[in-house]
Amino acid sequence: MNKSMFHNTRSYVRFILRRERLSIIIWIAALFFITVGQAQSFVDLYPTQEDRQVIAESMDNPAMVAMMGPTYGKDNYTLGALMSQQSLLFTAVAVAIMSILFINRNTRGDEEKGRIEIVRSRPTGQLFNLTAAMLVIIVVNIVIALLMGVGLSSLGIESMDATGSMMYGAVLAATGIIFASITALFAQLFTSSRSTLGVSFAVLGIAYFIRAIGDIGDNGVSMISPLGWVMRSEVYVSNHWWPILLTIAVSVI
């Protein structure tokens, strides 16, 4: 691919960072403090193993599995397993929403407002805006992953070690990146930001629905969904890295 297609991408990255800095900070801060605060609250809500085992039994029913994903680590239901099952999927969806909104706003949204045409009056490559938007959202998701890993592991909760905490953050980043990639694809296929946003959110909703059906039936259908992949990481229990690697690979494609 000709390098001229990306001419002045670096300058546009700096422009996006300046323009979006407040939105980025708010998203990162909200996700971080809500997640860390929830993890700390579980220590007070479920202080004993008996309390956690009762919750494990209540989580293992179709309605809860549909909402939060499959139950794992039931034989020794730690605070880490509890945190992963009750919070990870919903936080991943929030990160996906952040990524979808960001890519749509900085691609089709800017085109509709005429900003891209103004910038194109200067020397730029054909793919400068899409590439810049993707680079920024990838960095934002990596920052979220690192902050989550450091923040959760620093709480000192016995079952929430550094490896599991970094994987917790990696799941969020992988989810954000794949839905950013999906939105970037739709931004090339549709001519309006409304269509791009609508179809991207529809894919997110379908992914959640397919995951729910597959998890309830335990029949492998959830493996069609990116949300089904990342939940197979079994964070704080088995710590499987292959779902994260699979998600990133599909994002690249």
Side-chain angles (χ1 to χ4, degrees):
M1 189 176 289
N2 196 327
K3 290 184 178 180
S4 64
M5 298 181 71
F6 306 99
H7 185 60
N8 267 333
T9 296
R10 186 180 302 177
S11 299
Y12 203 66
V13 165
R14 292 196 294 268
F15 171 77
I16 291 176
L17 286 172
R18 287 198 301 270
R19 190 182 67 180
E20 297 280 353
R21 63 185 182 276
L22 181 60
S23 173
I24 290 171
I25 291 171
I26 291 173
W27 269 105
I28 292 176
L31 290 167
F32 177 78
F33 287 112
I34 290 174
T35 300
V36 172
Q38 190 167 19
Q40 188 61 54
S41 70
F42 286 149
V43 177
D44 300 324
L45 290 172
Y46 311 107
T48 67
Q49 185 63 41
E50 290 75 15
D51 293 331
R52 294 191 288 272
Q53 288 302 136
V54 170
I55 291 297
E57 295 300 324
S58 67
M59 295 287 288
D60 196 18
N61 69 77
M64 298 303 289
V65 170
M67 282 195 299
M68 300 180 180
T71 306
Y72 44 86
K74 290 185 293 183
D75 295 337
N76 180 26
Y77 206 56
T78 63
L79 286 171
L82 178 62
M83 174 68 185
S84 177
Q85 186 169 18
Q86 290 204 8
S87 302
L88 182 56
L89 180 59
F90 292 142
T91 310
V93 170
V95 173
I97 291 171
M98 174 197 72
S99 300
I100 289 171
L101 292 172
F102 182 92
I103 292 297
N104 181 66
R105 185 166 61 249
N106 286 279
T107 54
R108 282 300 178 197
D110 276 353
E111 287 183 7
E112 289 185 350
K113 292 177 181 178
R115 290 171 178 163
I116 299 300
E117 293 304 317
I118 294 174
V119 178
R120 285 192 189 277
S121 65
R122 308 293 296 173
T124 57
Q126 184 178 357
L127 297 176
F128 80 98
N129 65 313
L130 178 63
T131 306
M134 282 300 300
L135 287 173
V136 172
I137 198 62
I138 287 171
V139 171
V140 169
N141 277 286
I142 291 173
V143 169
I144 290 173
L146 294 174
L147 286 176
M148 290 294 185
V150 173
L152 290 172
S153 61
S154 66
L155 293 175
I157 300 173
E158 182 179 357
S159 57
M160 298 174 67
D161 58 4
T163 300
S165 297
M166 291 307 299
M167 176 168 283
Y168 192 104
V171 167
L172 300 181
T175 305
I177 291 170
I178 193 170
F179 280 99
S181 301
I182 290 169
T183 307
L185 173 63
F186 289 141
Q188 308 311 301
L189 298 178
F190 296 98
T191 58
S192 71
S193 62
R194 179 175 296 181
S195 298
T196 301
L197 194 64
V199 176
S200 299
F201 277 130
V203 170
L204 177 59
I206 291 169
Y208 189 94
F209 183 68
I210 290 174
R211 179 215 54 80
I213 293 175
D215 287 346
I216 292 173
D218 194 21
N219 51 21
V221 173
S222 59
M223 291 304 295
I224 302 173
S225 165
L227 297 178
W229 303 341
V230 295
M231 291 307 293
R232 294 306 183 275
S233 299
E234 298 188 2
V235 178
Y236 292 125
V237 179
S238 301
N239 290 332
H240 298 306
W241 280 98
W242 68 262
I244 297 171
L245 298 177
L246 172 63
T247 306
I248 295 298
V250 174
S251 301
V252 172
I253 293 171

